[in-house]
Each structure stands twice: as C-alpha cells, then as structure tokens.
Amino acid sequence: LGVNNVIDNRIIIHKNLARLYYSQNNLIKASINNELLIMDAKQTSNNQLLVSSLIFKANILLKKGEIKQAENMILKTALLINNGLNGKKKEQACYLQLGKVYLQAKKNTEAKWFFIQSLTLSNQLNLNEQNIESLLLLSKVKNIIKDYSLALSDLIIVKNLLENGYSIYQDDYKLQ
C-alpha cells in the first residue's frame, strides 16, 4: 500500500471508531480517536475533514457538559477554518452545533438564532436531512419559550418533509 492509502485507511478507521465509541457513550475513546483524526486531517491538509472533526469534538465536549469549550471549539476554531474554505455545508453544521450548545446552556435566544441560521443555509443548499434536524431543534426552542404556534408550524413542515423519507427522524418528530 502507498502512503496515501495507509493514511486514507487510518482516517476511515479513526472516524468510524470515534463515532462507534461515541454511540456507546465511551467519550474517552471517542475523544482519542477523534484527536487522531484531527491530526490526520492536519497532516494531509484536509480542512473539510478538520472542520467536521472539530464539530464532532464539540459534540463530545457538549455531551460531557463542557459547554464553554464546545462553544469555543466552533466559534474560535471550526468557523474560522471554514471561512477560508467557503464551505456553506460545514458552516451550516457549525451553526447547528452552536444551536445545540446554546440549547444545552439554556440560552434560548442564542439557540434559536443559530438554529434559524442553520435552517436558512440548509434550505439554500437543499439539505433535507439538515433541514429536518434544524426545524426539530428550532421547534424545541420555540416550545421552551412558549411560542407554541410557531413551533407547531415548524413541525408541520417537518411532517411534510418526513413523507419524502428520513424515517430516522420520525421518533424525534413524535417527541416534539
């Protein structure tokens, strides 16, 4: 195998292990594998991979309750790298993650703003799955702030989108 194949295989392994350990709630091993993935992304100058790994790192931090670190990871690192890439899809993912950070921090105004930004970009880019996720989280914030009619209108849009597939979000829709 050539050097590039070895690195590509290593990237795939680290990415899959990080997600697997995260799904098993083993945040230490998820973090270790994600850090190795970040190193691989830097070594190969793959900024798209780097941004998505930083977003995932923020997700791990958020799950650990380290809200401020998760916020800084997106605002001071991932978004700055992404600005140089002009990658709207990663920008949308950053906004969605920031919304989650602020939702967990009970900063509903900020959460709502970032979910709206995420929704706007997912609409512009025709990203249906991200559109559904943004709408579900936005409706959750609207419920918290007792803006029930707007939350309901978001859920009606989600219901229509779910008719075109994306059954993975069916339980989240029913929960909202």
Side-chain angles (χ1 to χ4, degrees):
L1 287 176
V3 174
N4 287 340
N5 286 339
V6 170
I7 292 172
D8 289 344
N9 288 339
R10 198 171 62 208
I11 287 170
I12 292 167
I13 290 169
H14 291 312
K15 188 174 188 176
N16 288 338
L17 283 173
R19 268 89 181 144
L20 175 67
Y21 285 126
Y22 181 84
S23 72
Q24 295 174 341
N25 216 23
N26 187 335
L27 301 181
I28 293 170
K29 288 186 178 179
S31 293
I32 290 168
N33 280 282
N34 195 59
E35 288 300 323
L36 292 169
L37 188 60
I38 289 170
M39 288 174 23
D40 288 339
K42 288 178 180 176
Q43 179 184 349
T44 59
S45 301
N46 185 339
N47 284 337
Q48 291 287 339
L49 177 63
L50 180 57
V51 171
S52 55
S53 300
L54 291 170
I55 292 169
F56 190 70
K57 182 175 182 174
N59 219 22
I60 293 169
L61 289 166
L62 195 57
K63 199 165 191 177
K64 290 164 73 175
E66 298 175 15
I67 295 169
K68 194 65 180 166
Q69 294 89 329
E71 176 187 27
N72 288 335
M73 182 61 50
I74 301 296
L75 285 175
K76 296 182 178 177
T77 310
L79 271 172
L80 293 177
I81 294 168
N82 190 64
N83 269 346
L85 300 175
N86 202 12
K88 291 291 182 188
K89 190 172 180 182
K90 295 294 182 200
E91 183 179 348
Q92 182 275 331
C94 286
Y95 290 152
L96 186 67
Q97 188 64 38
L98 279 168
K100 291 176 186 178
V101 167
Y102 292 122
L103 181 62
Q104 187 166 328
K106 297 182 183 350
K107 294 182 176 182
N108 297 321
T109 302
E110 293 90 340
K112 183 178 172 184
W113 191 87
F114 280 107
F115 289 141
I116 289 170
Q117 300 313 306
S118 172
L119 178 62
T120 301
L121 277 176
S122 62
N123 278 327
Q124 288 173 0
L125 300 170
N126 292 318
L127 303 171
N128 286 333
E129 192 170 335
Q130 291 84 346
N131 200 357
I132 292 168
E133 190 173 2
S134 298
L135 283 164
L136 285 169
L137 289 164
L138 188 55
S139 71
K140 185 174 187 171
V141 172
K142 289 175 181 176
N143 271 326
I144 291 169
I145 62 173
K146 299 180 183 353
D147 200 345
Y148 302 120
S149 61
L150 288 176
L152 184 59
S153 64
D154 289 342
L155 290 174
I156 290 169
I157 296 169
V158 169
K159 183 180 181 197
N160 292 333
L161 289 168
L162 288 175
E163 290 173 1
N164 298 325
Y166 308 102
S167 59
I168 190 170
Y169 292 101
Q170 199 66 253
D171 289 341
D172 293 324
Y173 167 71
K174 288 176 183 173
L175 184 64
Q176 287 301 320

